[in-house]
Amino acid sequence: MRREIYCSFFMFTADLRPDDTRYTKVLIEHLKALTDIGYDGFDLHIAAQPASVDHKLEVDSYLGLKKAFDKAGLKDAKFTTNVGTTRTFDPTSPYEEQRKEALSYLKSRVDITSVLGGESIMSGPFLYPYGAFPLTDNGDGIWSDALLDWMEPRYLAARSIFQELGEYAATKHVRLAIEPVKSWETPPPNMVSEVLDFLDGGERLPGGVTVDTAQVVMESQGPAVFKRNVARAAQQDRLLYVHISAPDRGAVHDSWIPWETILGEIEPVYQGPYLVEVFNAIPPFDSSMRMARRRFWRPGEDAPEPNRPSAYDVARAGLETLREQLARVGGA
């Protein structure tokens, strides 16, 4: 079976700016170029807007973006989305009204995913707000056992929200894949097992998990636990998305990804698409991830740098590398 491989638009932007018709033309050129390179689909980040912005207007703006893609000859392009929650839209909040606002926000992201990709996947750190580290009353950070204990009532508060969100997503044919992200970026869930424990705790919740190679390498307990987590997720039909990302979040080719260990466990039990995910040194990633490497220049956006790889070069090499690695473990 030929595996579908998608390309993350974190190579180019963290905000699609759907109302900006000039930028839409830039996006279309990137989509066409990456399709010619051989990608089967694309993962698009849906940027959060201020609480004052009407979610319906947001959904309508992405509907307009999808129509522009279709008109440009990209009607058959496949899309998944990357979504994060925020301090404002926090489904783990102890305050009921804030949790309701978070549910409305997340439902709008399901709608946007459906608009762009139809029967698709919404992935990302959308359980606990990304990067929102808790503090004590004295302004000190909360870590280790204290942090894990602090998270327990947050998980509990979010359960009814995720039950309703999952039921809503099912009506839109969108699968919810929570992505655990490493601890220096955000509080838990940081590991695949933590996402699975949340979904399985008490009455089982709908949805599943995204496995990201960078997160697994930098924030996991080792190959034995990884093997058990993959088997557990697959048996429960919760292994919904796999991101192929280098530990430094840069180029995938010639990176420190333990290909045989990871793909050897995933490939026999996984049916979905793979995502080549490269975070380019562009705002906000350059500062949020403290990037010291140079940017992969983006054709049509940055001045060409003949002696440096372009974003397209890195995307092409990543696709070729993943195809080679999948062939080695029996995929295609």
Side-chain angles (χ1 to χ4, degrees):
M1 178 176 105
R2 182 182 180 278
R3 285 298 190 178
E4 288 192 330
I5 299 178
Y6 291 11
C7 183
S8 168
F9 257 60
F10 282 148
M11 178 73 84
F12 305 100
T13 183
D15 187 354
L16 299 174
R17 304 184 336 234
D19 292 321
D20 185 340
T21 56
R22 292 178 61 184
Y23 191 60
T24 295
K25 293 178 181 178
V26 174
L27 295 176
I28 287 170
E29 291 306 309
H30 290 326
L31 291 169
K32 288 182 175 180
L34 293 165
T35 299
D36 290 343
I37 286 171
Y39 279 97
D40 301 298
F42 309 95
D43 189 67
L44 307 178
H45 180 248
I46 310 304
Q49 300 297 324
S52 59
V53 176
D54 187 326
H55 293 318
K56 183 181 184 306
L57 294 179
E58 289 187 89
V59 176
D60 289 344
S61 70
Y62 283 94
L63 179 59
L65 182 65
K66 182 60 166 65
K67 288 180 178 178
F69 290 166
D70 292 350
K71 187 176 180 180
L74 295 163
K75 190 172 184 178
D76 295 330
K78 297 180 179 180
F79 297 101
T80 56
T81 63
N82 184 289
V83 169
T85 45
T86 69
R87 289 182 185 273
T88 299
F89 302 116
D90 178 3
T92 74
S93 170
Y95 306 107
E96 182 180 7
E97 188 60 36
Q98 190 174 14
R99 294 198 301 272
K100 289 181 179 178
E101 291 178 358
L103 177 60
S104 178
Y105 165 82
L106 287 170
K107 283 183 175 180
S108 74
R109 270 52 198 163
V110 168
D111 291 339
I112 291 169
T113 304
S114 178
V115 162
L116 291 172
E119 186 173 336
S120 188
I121 302 167
M122 184 177 102
S123 177
F126 56 84
L127 174 48
Y128 181 82
Y130 177 83
F133 289 97
L135 300 173
T136 67
D137 291 343
N138 295 326
D140 298 323
I142 300 174
W143 306 106
S144 189
D145 294 78
L147 176 59
L148 295 178
D149 291 343
W150 184 89
M151 283 298 304
E152 288 184 5
R154 311 291 293 213
Y155 287 139
L156 185 61
R159 293 193 63 79
S160 62
I161 298 299
F162 272 78
Q163 181 65 48
E164 187 171 344
L165 179 66
E167 293 169 358
Y168 181 78
T171 68
K172 299 288 185 175
H173 305 288
V174 170
R175 304 196 79 182
L176 304 176
I178 301 171
E179 180 181 1
V181 176
K182 56 190 173 295
S183 60
W184 65 262
E185 282 189 54
T186 190
N190 305 122
M191 294 183 288
V192 171
S193 56
E194 290 174 324
V195 172
L196 295 176
D197 288 346
F198 168 72
L199 295 171
D200 290 344
E203 185 176 344
R204 295 181 75 250
L205 295 172
V209 66
T210 292
V211 172
D212 184 304
T213 57
Q215 313 299 354
V216 165
V217 170
M218 291 188 285
E219 192 82 35
S220 68
Q221 297 161 292
V225 173
F226 174 73
K227 181 177 181 178
R228 291 198 296 271
N229 284 338
V230 169
R232 176 184 174 189
Q235 289 167 1
Q236 299 176 348
D237 192 28
R238 293 199 188 278
L239 183 57
L240 302 187
Y241 211 2
V242 176
H243 292 184
I244 304 299
S245 188
D248 73 341
R249 316 317 300 274
V252 166
H253 67 281
D254 193 27
S255 67
W256 292 104
I257 297 175
W259 294 104
E260 185 175 347
T261 298
I262 289 177
L263 293 182
E265 296 299 330
I266 288 174
E267 180 61 15
V269 297
Y270 178 58
Q271 304 301 318
Y274 287 91
L275 177 71
V276 173
E277 186 178 55
V278 177
F279 286 74
N280 206 349
I282 56 174
F285 307 132
D286 52 357
S287 60
S288 67
M289 295 188 176
R290 298 172 174 83
M291 291 184 177
R293 56 179 161 85
R294 293 190 181 277
R295 178 181 302 182
F296 305 123
W297 63 274
R298 300 163 295 174
E301 296 191 67
D302 302 319
E305 299 180 42
N307 298 320
R308 299 194 58 77
S310 73
Y312 294 170
D313 294 330
V314 174
R316 181 182 292 106
L319 177 63
E320 292 171 353
T321 298
L322 180 52
R323 290 268 182 230
E324 291 170 1
Q325 296 296 337
L326 285 170
R328 289 184 181 180
V329 297

